[in-house]
Amino acid sequence: MKNIKYIIIALITLSIVFSGCKDEEGVYLTMNVLEITLSPKDTFQFELKTQGMNVGEGEKVVWTLQDADPKVAGTEVAQISSDGVLKAIGLGTATVRATVGGRYALAHVDVVERIPAPTGDLSFEKENHYMGIVGLIPDTVILTVKATVLDLYDLKIKSDNEKIIRAELIPDTADHTGEIYIDCKVALHRGGTEGIAVVTADAGGTTVDLNVHVGVKTYLSFDRISTALGGDPSLVVTNPYTFYVNSRDTITLYYVAEPDDPAHLELLKLNVTSEGDGVLSVKEIKRNAGYYSIIVESGQLKGSQKLTFTLDNNVLTADCSVMDKNDVVVNSVTVIPSFKNITTTSRGVALAEGVKVAPLAALVHWPIVWTSSDKSIATVNSLGDVTIHKAGVVKITATSKDKSDFITITSKLEIEGIAFNTGLVTTLAESETTTWTATITSNYEPIGVVKTWKSSKENVATVDANGKITAVGKGTTEISVSVFDEMGNTRVAKQNLTVTAVNIFPLDFNSKQYQYVSDIASSGSLSGISIDVFTPDFKENYQFKLYKANPGVNFNLSGTATYTVGVEIHTASTLNYLDVNESATLLPGSKLIVTNGVLTFDMTAQRGTKQVTIKGKATEFQ
């Protein structure tokens, strides 16, 4: 229906324009749009288009609004400037008229409600704000708003209870050009009444709330306080205490304050008054997060005293008695039979239930003191909980005043498994060595456990008691390590080892013609040159990897120089037999002599226990 209405209006408008504005010379006037829908705060530039007409100098287009029909009585629909810029103000309809030289054109305007701002385009810095009821200066909170929201919507701030809080948006005159989000300040004025007010920010129907708490409410109790279920919690307001002569003790009071921000907590003052014998004195009052610690001291006198604690309108009473615990008699401390001797593989044992004190009431004054005969085997805390550190036999003694009894604990080592550590070298050349390690998994630290090593084929490799393996001959053998525990368990780990033959042999480059080419070489942080030596028919190929012993070395194969392993050449340098895929390490003292591009080798290389010599000359390959 709405589209049909617009079509009819457009046809009427066109009819008016073309029939009312056409003359004998075929002159027509029209707008750049015939109808448009806007929302409040939107603007639009109207333009007058002419056909068959030249607007003469001095002739001016006159822009006017007519037939404005607001949806709310007394509300302005829109305004239009002298240059045709229309600004939408309120909901309704209007007609834009452009007149020039006695002729005119019309356009229809609909101003409708804007779609609400997206959720998240405005937010308060927090959900709850706490304020005292007294104060002339208002509190300020930050409302973050997307810049485009301020361009398109009227931002409104209101409180649901101005007797508690009146909210006001503080004008901001700063230039926020280019900003995506803008921090707006909201002033919170006290109304003089305690309670909670909800302050709402509204942008085009999208709202966000801030709960403002005004006033302070407190609770005080000898027990922990919970307000989770709402309403007033149940509070313990009286409590008996027993102290001993010449002691220093603590009375704990729990509190809840609403609100609980630091500024208002500082206003809370706990007062203490005393009645009675004066056998106790209050030495210190500490306020902690959620509780007070009252430090009291007793003298040498026995007696009773009442302490009264007041916080706001909350009152607690502590009935304190001071006694000499030496007057209390302990008749016996007894370990029940089932706890007398304990054998265990566990890391922890609880003993509190295994000890009885007579009379039972004596424990209030003489709690059990637990001790261990050997703390390296096991330790025990004040609750009788034992922590076992290793296998062995230990006595745990329970003492109350001058009576005691003990428990014998035999802790046994239980090995759950053994496994080889990662990074093992599992391939060796003949005569090479390596050491394998293995980790034991057990209930305690496996102190003193002996590992038994074995090789299944000692003609391939042998292994000693420390896991050191020596390669003997080519082949594969199984290396195993086993352990035994006090529970009769045997745990074994197995891993194959392969031994390869050492296939290196002496080289005599004087026996026939040898040539070489060089290139750059690197290995990790090492750098140097690679020299490939070969016969012209390429049936023999050898490669020397010569690394610099220090950054100052410069290998020059065109001049005349001598380079020695361990001096200019790094001891990690190698000789590689390319045809048989074998390598050996060049030994210190080996020399490479350079004479105008001709290389003379005087070297020794080693793999395992086998050593070979490299002699002779090679000329540069052309």
Side-chain angles (χ1 to χ4, degrees):
M1 292 299 293
K2 182 177 180 181
N3 291 336
I4 295 173
K5 180 188 74 172
Y6 285 157
I7 293 171
I8 295 171
I9 292 172
L11 292 173
I12 294 172
T13 303
L14 287 170
S15 174
I16 293 172
V17 171
F18 294 140
S19 63
C21 300
K22 175 181 178 183
D23 58 18
E24 299 82 2
E25 300 175 354
V27 175
Y28 296 92
L29 300 182
T30 187
M31 299 278 199
N32 55 336
V33 295
L34 296 180
E35 62 171 316
I36 189 170
T37 300
L38 303 173
S39 296
K41 300 186 79 172
D42 285 347
T43 60
F44 182 77
Q45 174 70 62
F46 280 95
E47 297 176 1
L48 180 65
K49 298 182 179 296
T50 65
Q51 179 178 343
M53 173 182 179
N54 292 320
V55 178
E57 185 177 353
E59 290 185 283
K60 183 177 181 180
V61 178
V62 178
W63 296 90
T64 58
L65 280 178
Q66 61 187 45
D67 301 329
D69 183 13
K71 287 189 177 180
V72 180
T75 302
E76 189 175 10
V77 177
Q79 296 175 348
I80 192 163
S81 67
S82 60
D83 55 357
V85 177
L86 180 105
K87 180 178 181 180
I89 298 174
L91 306 182
T93 60
T95 301
V96 176
R97 177 179 177 130
T99 305
V100 61
R103 298 177 175 84
Y104 64 90
L106 303 175
H108 178 78
V109 178
D110 252 332
V111 181
V112 300
E113 289 186 355
R114 188 182 302 280
I115 297 173
T119 302
D121 280 2
L122 65 164
S123 62
F124 279 108
E125 60 183 325
K126 50 191 173 182
E127 294 182 1
N128 295 278
H129 181 75
Y130 297 95
M131 299 174 62
I133 194 171
V134 178
L136 298 176
I137 300 175
D139 284 8
T140 301
V141 293
I142 299 299
L143 172 68
T144 300
V145 186
K146 200 169 185 178
T148 53
V149 170
L150 296 178
D151 294 336
L152 300 176
Y153 303 91
D154 290 326
L155 182 60
K156 301 175 182 178
I157 303 293
K158 66 177 181 179
S159 168
D160 69 341
N161 192 333
E162 294 198 348
K163 291 183 179 179
I164 299 173
I165 282 295
R166 180 174 60 84
E168 176 186 19
L169 185 65
I170 300 175
D172 186 358
T173 58
D175 182 7
H176 296 289
T177 303
E179 294 187 22
I180 299 176
Y181 286 91
I182 298 172
D183 287 341
C184 301
K185 295 181 179 179
V186 177
L188 304 176
H189 300 272
R190 297 167 175 82
T193 302
E194 286 187 344
I196 300 176
V198 179
V199 173
T200 302
D202 185 312
T206 295
T207 61
V208 61
D209 292 335
L210 170 70
N211 299 312
V212 182
H213 305 255
V214 179
V216 179
K217 189 170 184 179
T218 59
Y219 303 95
L220 191 65
S221 176
F222 285 111
D223 201 359
R224 295 185 183 275
I225 305 168
S226 174
T227 58
L229 299 178
D232 290 333
S234 299
L235 305 178
V236 178
V237 296
T238 60
N239 207 51
Y241 286 90
T242 299
F243 302 112
Y244 305 114
V245 296
N246 297 322
S247 66
R248 184 180 178 92
D249 296 278
T250 301
I251 299 175
T252 301
L253 312 178
Y254 295 92
Y255 73 88
V256 168
E258 298 176 347
D260 60 355
D261 59 296
H264 293 95
L265 290 178
E266 289 300 325
L267 300 176
L268 297 178
K269 299 297 180 184
L270 179 69
N271 296 314
V272 183
T273 58
S274 176
E275 299 177 27
D277 298 333
V279 293
L280 281 177
S281 59
V282 176
K283 293 299 182 182
E284 189 177 2
I285 300 175
K286 294 182 180 179
R287 181 172 62 80
N288 308 288
Y291 66 95
Y292 287 94
S293 296
I294 316 301
I295 312 300
V296 296
E297 285 186 355
S298 63
Q300 296 181 352
L301 299 177
K302 296 186 290 184
S304 60
Q305 186 172 341
K306 178 181 291 186
L307 296 178
T308 301
F309 307 97
T310 304
L311 182 72
D312 272 0
N313 295 321
N314 304 282
V315 179
L316 300 187
T317 301
D319 295 319
C320 305
S321 60
V322 177
M323 61 174 293
D324 189 344
K325 65 179 181 179
N326 288 312
D327 295 339
V328 177
V329 176
V330 176
N331 294 326
S332 64
V333 174
T334 306
V335 175
I336 63 177
S338 60
F339 276 77
K340 195 66 177 176
N341 291 284
I342 297 174
T343 299
T344 182
T345 59
S346 174
R347 292 189 66 90
V349 179
L351 302 180
E353 295 300 321
V355 177
K356 303 300 180 184
V357 175
L360 184 60
L363 283 174
V364 176
H365 312 288
W366 292 100
I368 292 175
V369 177
W370 298 89
T371 55
S372 168
S373 64
D374 190 338
K375 293 182 179 179
S376 68
I377 298 176
T379 53
V380 59
N381 66 12
S382 61
L383 301 177
D385 297 325
V386 176
T387 301
I388 298 174
H389 305 291
K390 66 179 183 181
V393 180
V394 63
K395 287 184 178 181
I396 305 297
T397 301
T399 301
S400 176
K401 196 179 180 181
D402 54 354
K403 299 295 189 297
S404 64
D405 200 358
F406 64 86
I407 298 168
T408 300
I409 296 179
T410 302
S411 60
K412 288 197 172 185
L413 178 67
E414 182 178 29
I415 295 178
E416 299 169 3
I418 184 170
F420 287 114
N421 295 336
T422 58
L424 299 180
V425 175
T426 57
T427 300
L428 295 176
E430 292 172 341
S431 76
E432 286 186 334
T433 63
T434 186
T435 298
W436 286 7
T437 57
T439 298
I440 297 171
T441 305
S442 63
N443 56 339
Y444 321 122
E445 186 69 24
I447 300 172
V449 173
V450 176
K451 298 173 184 174
T452 302
W453 294 85
K454 183 180 179 181
S455 169
S456 64
K457 297 179 181 178
E458 294 195 345
N459 62 333
V460 176
T462 60
V463 58
D464 68 12
N466 297 315
K468 182 179 179 180
I469 300 171
T470 301
V472 177
K474 182 179 178 181
T476 300
T477 183
E478 182 183 78
I479 304 296
S480 63
V481 59
S482 57
V483 289
F484 312 91
D485 67 12
E486 296 177 312
M487 306 302 294
N489 300 317
T490 301
R491 308 298 183 191
V492 182
K494 299 178 181 181
Q495 172 68 49
N496 284 340
L497 172 77
T498 300
V499 177
T500 61
V502 175
N503 193 17
I504 64 174
F505 44 85
L507 299 177
D508 182 2
F509 295 146
N510 291 322
S511 63
K512 59 183 75 170
Q513 182 185 0
Y514 287 85
Q515 295 175 287
Y516 74 88
V517 294
S518 62
D519 201 353
I520 297 172
S522 64
S523 176
S525 61
L526 300 177
S527 64
I529 59 173
S530 171
I531 301 174
D532 285 15
V533 180
F534 47 85
T535 56
D537 58 5
F538 296 103
K539 289 185 177 180
E540 295 182 38
N541 294 271
Y542 310 100
Q543 184 181 65
F544 294 83
K545 294 283 189 178
L546 306 181
Y547 302 111
K548 298 177 182 181
N550 60 74
V553 175
N554 181 24
F555 291 120
N556 182 358
L557 303 186
S558 299
T560 299
T562 298
Y563 303 102
T564 304
V565 176
V567 182
E568 294 84 10
I569 302 174
H570 200 283
T571 53
S573 300
T574 61
L575 162 62
N576 301 308
Y577 296 76
L578 300 180
D579 295 328
V580 294
N581 193 26
E582 184 65 278
S583 65
T585 302
L586 296 177
L587 298 182
S590 298
K591 297 181 185 299
L592 174 68
I593 303 168
V594 181
T595 308
N596 297 324
V598 177
L599 305 184
T600 300
F601 295 88
D602 184 8
M603 295 183 168
T604 305
Q606 182 170 335
R607 173 77 183 275
T609 59
K610 186 173 183 179
Q611 291 187 4
V612 296
T613 59
I614 305 98
K615 303 287 185 180
K617 296 182 179 181
T619 58
E620 189 172 7
F621 178 75
Q622 300 296 327

